[in-house]
Amino acid sequence: MTAAAAPPARAYRRLSVEERRTQLLGAALTLFAHRAPDEVSLDEVATVAGVSRPLVYRYFPGGRQQLYEAALRSAAEQLKLCFAEPAEGPPTERVMRVLDRYLAFVDEHDAGFSALLRGGSVAETSRTGTIVDEVRRAAAEQILLHLGHDGQSEPAPRLSMMVRTWIAAVEAASLIWLDEGKRPDASELRDWLVDQFIGLLAVTSASDPQTASAVAALLPLENITGPAGRLADRLAPLVGVAAHLLPPD
């Protein structure tokens, strides 16, 4: 009786420089996602990546700080993609889809996201602050595109301020959501943030002709079953209650 042939050994493939770097960043992001950067060691990154500590230093000779900034840059690029949405369909439904991706990212990278936006880490530098600001600017540019801005000229000042204010509110709400054990459900938080977006647009339109013009162009794209329609339905009873505040005909 002949012995069974041994299974062929798996061919070893040496990773390219870029592949190895991507592997190490992935391991670092896994750790930074759930712990503050001060609490993550290079030994842990090496263990998660399945490599030696000297190899991590070979790719990131600046140590944990350099690795953190590179991982942060990688995460920032992922976060920017959350705001990329085709300019099709009702604008408020586009914003819903953007928030779904954004909150999924926050959920997946909870502790890291919190440490990043709150600051106070020894790993925080002017460079890390710049990376975060780049995400905010990219988010504002994408939202402004959905509000009809061409992306070439300067946006209307009040409209731009409104969008940046809303993005700051989204960040703050996300941090509070994490503090509160991710309650309410992400979908409920998303709907509330979309309502805030619509409300800010309405209030800004009341005093800014440029914003009012943008909103007037967007309203025909909305429908009764979408976020704008549902909010209008919920607010309708308040109009009657506030009738005494309106000037007489």
Side-chain angles (χ1 to χ4, degrees), residues 21-46 48 56 60 62-76 78 105-117 121-124 128 131 178:
R21 190 174 189 277
T22 299
Q23 178 199 30
L24 295 175
L25 286 176
L29 281 172
T30 298
L31 293 166
F32 290 136
H34 302 293
R35 288 162 59 192
D38 305 347
E39 301 173 358
V40 176
S41 71
L42 289 186
D43 285 331
E44 290 175 294
V45 174
V48 171
V56 179
F60 300 97
R64 180 174 60 185
Q65 182 64 40
Q66 184 184 7
L67 179 58
Y68 174 62
E69 291 179 12
L72 179 58
R73 172 68 67 184
S74 176
Q78 295 178 39
F105 182 94
V106 173
D107 185 25
E108 183 181 353
H109 300 81
D110 44 18
F113 179 87
S114 181
L116 168 63
L117 290 187
S121 163
V122 296
E124 183 184 13
T128 61
I131 293 171
L178 293 177

Side-chain angles (χ1 to χ4, degrees), residues 96 99-100 103 177 184-194:
M96 279 184 61
L99 285 173
D100 278 336
L103 291 174
W177 183 61
D185 290 342
S187 59
E188 186 177 341
L189 176 60
R190 174 206 65 199
D191 291 345
W192 182 63
L193 290 171
V194 174

Side-chain angles (χ1 to χ4, degrees), residues 97-145:
R97 291 190 289 271
V98 164
L99 285 173
D100 278 336
R101 291 192 293 269
Y102 180 87
L103 291 174
F105 182 94
V106 173
D107 185 25
E108 183 181 353
H109 300 81
D110 44 18
F113 179 87
S114 181
L116 168 63
L117 290 187
R118 283 198 170 100
S121 163
V122 296
E124 183 184 13
T125 66
S126 60
R127 291 188 298 276
T128 61
T130 298
I131 293 171
V132 176
D133 285 340
E134 286 176 5
V135 174
R136 292 170 177 149
R137 285 196 298 272
E141 289 170 2
Q142 287 296 317
I143 296 299
L144 284 166
L145 287 175

